[in-house]
Amino acid sequence: MFSHINPKFYDQQLQDKEQNMQLLFSQFNGPKFDIFPSATLNYRQRAEFRVWHEGDDLFYIMFDSTTKQKYRVDDFPVASVLINKLMKALLIEIKNKPLLRERLFQVDFLSTLSGEALISLLYHKPLTDEWQEDALKLKSILAKIAPLDIIGRAKKQKIILEKDYVIENLTVGQRHFKYQQVENSFTQPNAVVNEHMLLWAQEATTGRGGDLIELYCGNGNFSIALAQNFDRVLGTEISKSSVKSAQVNIAMNKISNIDIVRMSSEEFSQAMNGERKFRRLADFDLTTYHYDTVLVDPPRAGLDPDSVELVSRFKDIIYISCNPETLKDNLVQLTKTHQIKKFALFDQFPYTHHVETGVILSKKDNKF
């Protein structure tokens, strides 16, 4: 199943991606892509596996998305070294422990560059106090490998032994940032490439000043790294858990010029236009913000027409995309008012067709 995951193939695959992106975006006559490669192995900090029970045996499986054929997974070369260690150790420890093994159907791993880990065990059965006792013993054993925590999930149940997050440390240029990453919430899977993304955006906005508005800010991944380049940062995010993490991360990094509000890009547009008043914005006077720079990192569907109209009002746009096709569609509209200044390819997902891209645009009558 993983025969294509081989460092000897990597350079050619990355070149193919670059050529494909240059071709896809050729109509815009933009600058050459800045290319940010990935490590060739052990680059993913997240992994999810189904668990297969076969007699006394117990092992991980993955499904081919096309054929639905299942494959046994004993090693996962794209996952971090820590995840690979924990994969093996976990099965050894639970194999002969009925409360931990029975009706277990999935295991999710989250690891960090800082050496922490989180393991989520998903069950088709209610979890009891006895399960929790065994899980605590399991945690103490696996903690010899790395600082970690374990979460148990079943229908309408979530049992947290101690905490449901890890603390990641990312290095961006000369600075180090801490990020709380919560179980079952979105984080960039390739942490080192994420550092490249943050540094690229940080260097592109050095000395920019004014205010930054970030839509889809998540846990503050970009806001925190870019805050030093702006007078104020206002981030919007619809997910309650992500907003909560963003607030924690702002405090951990002792940053004083970021505010986060829970609202969608559509709601923010309505607030900017004065169409609706939101209680969540009671402490904010949106008329005092200088709408110079906007950063968007939308889902795969890209920006909807109203959001495209919203971001086109800003002098400068930083657009991070996980879907080149929807990015291209959005650029058709955005390049009517803005000029592409920088293009970047971030290889978040080696050995796949997926590509993460970054674009910086500036108003045609404005100098970036």
Side-chain angles (χ1 to χ4, degrees):
M1 184 182 184
F2 304 127
S3 59
H4 64 293
I5 299 173
N6 189 318
K8 70 180 182 181
F9 301 142
Y10 180 74
D11 288 344
Q12 184 60 54
Q13 291 183 351
L14 183 57
Q15 288 177 25
D16 292 343
K17 285 185 179 181
E18 180 182 3
Q19 291 173 2
N20 290 339
M21 290 304 99
Q22 294 285 7
L23 182 62
L24 180 65
F25 294 103
S26 60
Q27 72 188 77
F28 302 109
N29 297 314
K32 189 176 180 181
F33 277 80
D34 297 324
I35 307 297
F36 296 90
S38 171
T40 56
L41 294 173
N42 305 121
Y43 46 83
R44 278 191 68 94
Q45 303 299 325
R46 295 201 318 257
E48 301 175 1
F49 303 99
R50 286 301 182 104
V51 177
W52 199 258
H53 301 255
E54 198 168 89
D56 293 333
D57 203 4
L58 187 73
F59 50 89
Y60 304 108
I61 63 167
M62 296 183 77
F63 290 96
D64 185 298
S65 58
T66 304
T67 66
K68 306 303 180 184
Q69 184 177 352
K70 68 176 186 293
Y71 295 87
R72 177 169 176 153
V73 180
D74 295 316
D75 297 286
F76 194 44
V78 304
S80 67
V81 172
L82 179 52
I83 287 177
N84 276 278
K85 288 180 179 178
L86 291 171
M87 286 170 62
K88 295 181 177 68
L90 176 69
L91 291 188
I92 290 171
E93 294 301 326
I94 69 173
K95 191 171 183 179
N96 298 312
K97 295 180 175 62
L99 287 175
L100 296 176
R101 170 185 173 142
E102 289 174 358
R103 309 300 298 278
L104 174 68
F105 72 91
Q106 183 169 317
V107 180
D108 299 347
F109 295 92
L110 174 64
S111 66
T112 65
L113 296 178
S114 57
E116 294 185 19
L118 196 60
I119 302 174
S120 299
L121 304 176
L122 284 64
Y123 290 88
H124 286 310
K125 69 175 182 180
L127 302 180
T128 62
D129 291 342
E130 291 76 18
W131 175 91
Q132 189 165 339
E133 290 174 10
D134 278 7
L136 282 167
K137 294 174 184 175
L138 174 64
K139 176 188 170 181
S140 66
I141 293 169
L142 297 181
K144 296 172 185 176
I145 298 173
L148 59 81
D149 219 300
I150 292 176
I151 295 168
R153 283 186 172 274
K155 188 176 182 180
K156 297 182 180 180
Q157 272 188 299
K158 178 182 177 181
I159 295 179
I160 304 170
L161 299 188
E162 183 179 344
K163 56 186 177 64
D164 65 346
Y165 62 85
V166 291
I167 302 296
E168 176 64 289
N169 295 324
L170 298 180
T171 301
V172 184
Q174 302 301 312
R175 293 196 61 181
H176 304 284
F177 297 100
K178 293 182 178 181
Y179 292 89
Q180 181 195 73
Q181 298 182 344
V182 177
E183 183 254 4
N184 218 28
S185 295
F186 176 78
T187 55
Q188 294 288 350
N190 192 324
V192 173
V193 172
N194 185 35
E195 291 178 328
H196 293 319
M197 292 169 61
L198 297 178
L199 183 59
W200 178 81
Q202 189 185 82
E203 289 180 341
T205 56
T206 297
R208 183 72 189 97
D211 298 332
L212 170 68
I213 309 298
E214 182 181 359
L215 309 180
Y216 315 94
C217 72
N219 70 349
N221 185 47
F222 280 97
S223 293
I224 287 167
L226 299 185
Q228 65 193 48
N229 291 343
F230 296 92
D231 300 324
R232 291 184 298 177
V233 178
L234 178 63
T236 71
E237 171 58 50
I238 194 64
S239 164
K240 285 184 179 180
S241 62
S242 293
V243 169
K244 186 176 179 181
S245 283
Q247 302 286 13
V248 169
N249 294 335
I250 291 166
M252 271 200 303
N253 289 285
K254 300 179 180 178
I255 297 176
S256 59
N257 65 332
I258 302 178
D259 290 300
I260 306 291
V261 292
R262 191 176 71 83
M263 57 180 11
S264 67
S265 60
E266 180 186 14
E267 290 172 330
F268 184 72
S269 178
Q270 292 170 341
M272 274 185 62
N273 294 338
E275 298 169 5
R276 284 180 63 190
K277 290 187 177 180
F278 294 88
R279 237 183 252 175
R280 286 161 281 172
L281 288 173
D283 297 329
F284 299 92
D285 183 358
L286 293 184
T287 63
T288 67
Y289 281 83
H290 299 288
Y291 295 101
D292 298 323
T293 307
V294 63
L295 189 152
V296 292
D297 186 3
R300 291 190 61 79
L303 298 175
D304 61 71
D306 289 340
S307 296
V308 169
E309 192 281 325
L310 170 64
V311 302
S312 68
R313 304 180 202 175
F314 290 75
K315 292 180 181 177
D316 302 302
I317 304 167
I318 306 167
Y319 192 138
I320 306 296
S321 171
C322 61
N323 186 343
E325 296 292 342
T326 54
L327 171 61
K328 178 184 175 182
D329 292 342
N330 289 160
L331 287 179
V332 169
Q333 298 303 314
L334 292 173
T335 51
K336 293 178 180 178
T337 53
H338 288 68
Q339 182 178 356
I340 296 171
K341 296 293 186 179
K342 292 180 79 68
F343 251 133
L345 188 161
F346 306 102
D347 197 20
Q348 278 269 3
F349 310 99
Y351 312 110
T352 76
H353 68 279
H354 295 293
V355 177
E356 193 95 1
T357 50
V359 187
I360 293 179
L361 304 101
S362 189
K363 281 272 192 185
K364 289 183 177 178
D365 59 351
N366 180 57
K367 293 182 180 179
F368 191 86

